[in-house]
């Protein structure tokens, strides 16, 4: 059995140095290989105001990283035959058919091809607290393109769009699906949340802005549709994430999670984790097939999408990176899952979190090559 002590120590040194240097406040790093936990490292403070330290089960409010939880919930339902990717949304949500959206399918929604990425410019955090209001807004919107003809990042709308389809099709809120069909089987009841229960709020990390707000201003100034997908009042920044009412609300475009639980979830897509596997191997191939082409409407750049995930690193990793520096995803060829959460939101030319993920990936690939060589010798 391979010992991963050296890798664990290397990751620990790296995040400790980032915290010591003031580049980070609190960090979690977790990785699973072949269903086994090989890295579980934490460093720093979850909350500077209280001095609470990060532990492996500390939940961090994570922006688009949380979309992976939403997509996985749909795949678990599809695996059980409870929902179909080709379900016409209007068949379960008749109001959604307005403005020529009647042919839109769940597949379109998952791949950010539904054409409803925009929110009204006057949207406020208080609007986010009202699920029905947000669903009415999306159902009543005119699509920015004919559904299925192109794709564009649905920053906020994606969560309510997918979540309401799940609720109407299964008669279960998506938060319940996550709790009952993902978190509980994986032993992650206290680490995977959409709305955080009141009794768990004080365990959560508190976010802080480093230079992320400035980065959002630059995106707003330079990207044509940025304010459409993230209006000024609801930009994905620390001030919004730290609101206790927002943290307690189901907003399935984001989630409050630990790195350990996200890595465990992704590992359970690829194989068994303590006897739990979320989807079959054939289903895994389906959800890692890239289904979009051409530039993303929201960013004009390349953002290839599968059924609910983003294809990253040239198709090596599937999952979601979050605003401000978190990431979570899985590498099917290696059966490796990695997640990193942090609470100091910022951006740099050299992304230390991606560097840590690359270090873990390199160690896993090297071990895989050694094992293969031994098997054929």
């Amino acid at each position: 059995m391979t010992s991963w002590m050296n890798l664990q120590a290397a990751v620990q040194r790296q995040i400790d140095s980032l915290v010591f240097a003031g580049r980070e406040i609190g960090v979690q790093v977790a990785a699973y290989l072949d269903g086994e936990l090989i890295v579980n490292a934490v460093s720093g403070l979850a909350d500077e105001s209280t001095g609470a330290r990060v532990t492996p089960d500390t939940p961090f409010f994570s922006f688009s990283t949380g979309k992976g939880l939403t997509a996985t919930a749909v795949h678990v339902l599809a695996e059980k035959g409870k929902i179909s990717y080709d379900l016409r949304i209007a068949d379960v949500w008749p109001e959604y058919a307005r403005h020529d959206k009647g042919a839109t399918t769940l597949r379109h929604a998952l791949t950010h091809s539904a054409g409803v990425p925009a929110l009204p410019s006057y949207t406020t955090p208080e609007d986010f607290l009202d699920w029905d209001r947000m669903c009415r807004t999306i159902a009543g919107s005119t699509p920015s393109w004919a559904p299925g003809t192109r794709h564009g990042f649905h920053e906020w709308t994606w969560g309510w769009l997918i979540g309401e389809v799940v609720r109407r099709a299964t008669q279960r809120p998506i938060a319940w699906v996550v709790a009952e069909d993902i978190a509980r089987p994986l032993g992650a009841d206290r680490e995977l949340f959409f709305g955080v229960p009141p009794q768990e709020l004080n365990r959560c990390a508190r976010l802080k802005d480093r230079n992320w707000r400035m980065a959002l201003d630059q995106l707003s100034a330079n990207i044509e549709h940025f304010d459409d997908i993230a209006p000024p009042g609801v930009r994905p920044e620390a001030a919004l994430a730290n609101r206790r009412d927002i943290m307690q609300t189901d907003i399935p475009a984001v989630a409050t999670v630990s790195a350990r639980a996200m890595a465990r979830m992704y590992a359970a897509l690829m194989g068994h984790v303590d006897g739990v596997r979320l989807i079959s191997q054939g289903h895994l191939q389906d959800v890692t097939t890239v289904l979009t082409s051409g530039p993303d409407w929201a960013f004009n750049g390349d953002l290839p999408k599968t059924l609910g995930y983003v294809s990253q690193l040239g198709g090596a990793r599937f999952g979601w990176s979050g605003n401000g520096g978190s990431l979570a995803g899985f590498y099917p060829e290696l059966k490796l899952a990695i997640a990193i959460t942090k609470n100091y939101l910022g951006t740099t030319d050299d992304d230390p979190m991606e560097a840590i993920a690359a270090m873990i990936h390199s160690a896993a690939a090297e071990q895989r090559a050694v094992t293969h060589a031994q098997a054929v010798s």
Side-chain angles (χ1 to χ4, degrees), residues 132-370:
D132 291 338
R133 178 187 181 93
M134 296 310 302
C135 290
R136 285 196 302 270
T137 296
I138 295 167
S141 65
T142 299
S144 299
W145 61 84
T149 61
R150 65 178 308 175
H151 64 109
F153 184 44
H154 289 47
E155 169 82 70
W156 289 114
T157 58
W158 194 81
W160 292 291
L161 180 57
I162 302 294
E164 183 67 357
V165 173
V166 166
R167 187 184 74 84
R168 298 214 179 197
T170 69
Q171 304 303 306
R172 296 165 67 201
I174 194 167
W176 289 18
V177 177
V178 167
E180 296 172 4
D181 297 350
I182 298 175
R184 187 167 301 136
L186 290 175
D189 305 66
R190 301 178 74 236
E191 300 175 51
L192 293 174
F193 303 110
F194 287 131
V196 179
Q199 68 273 18
E200 304 289 353
L201 279 175
N202 290 338
R203 297 177 47 240
C204 296
R206 185 169 181 83
L207 307 192
K208 184 177 180 178
D209 180 76
R210 186 181 186 197
N211 63 358
W212 185 242
R213 182 177 296 176
M214 184 184 305
L216 292 173
D217 287 341
Q218 292 175 348
L219 289 171
S220 174
N222 295 299
I223 295 179
E224 179 183 2
H225 297 298
F226 184 76
D227 284 349
D228 294 328
I229 66 171
V234 289
R235 286 184 179 171
E237 58 186 2
L240 181 68
N242 287 331
R243 288 182 50 150
R244 291 172 77 88
D245 53 358
I246 290 291
M247 292 181 69
Q248 292 180 81
T249 301
D250 290 340
I251 305 173
V254 297
T256 303
V257 300
S258 73
R260 181 176 66 181
M262 287 299 288
R264 189 171 175 84
M265 178 195 77
Y266 280 131
L269 287 178
M270 298 180 290
H272 288 89
V273 179
D274 294 333
V276 177
R277 179 162 189 172
L278 296 176
I279 63 174
S280 65
Q281 182 60 35
H283 198 165
L284 176 66
Q285 293 175 354
D286 291 339
V287 304
T288 54
T289 299
V290 174
L291 299 174
T292 64
S293 62
D296 181 278
W297 175 88
F299 291 112
N300 294 322
D302 188 35
L303 197 64
K305 303 171 186 72
T306 73
L307 282 173
Y309 308 119
V310 172
S311 173
Q312 302 172 317
L313 307 178
R317 185 174 78 206
F318 300 88
W320 283 95
S321 296
N323 294 316
S326 61
L327 65 89
F330 60 104
Y331 305 75
E333 288 193 8
L334 284 180
K335 292 192 175 180
L336 171 69
I338 299 175
I340 302 176
T341 54
K342 59 197 289 288
N343 53 3
Y344 205 10
L345 303 189
T347 181
T348 58
D349 291 336
D350 60 323
D351 185 342
M353 301 305 138
E354 281 291 356
I356 291 170
M359 177 171 64
I360 297 170
H361 178 272
S362 178
E366 181 178 345
Q367 178 58 37
R368 187 72 83 213
V370 169

Side-chain angles (χ1 to χ4, degrees), residues 51-92:
R53 301 198 63 80
V54 177
T55 62
D57 66 348
T58 299
F60 282 66
F61 189 101
S62 302
F63 286 99
S64 283
T65 304
K67 290 182 172 66
L69 191 55
T70 303
T72 299
V74 174
H75 301 324
V76 169
L77 291 172
E79 178 77 19
K80 295 179 177 181
K82 303 293 186 182
I83 204 165
S84 166
Y85 298 124
D86 294 314
L87 169 73
R88 287 198 328 159
I89 293 175
D91 286 347
V92 294

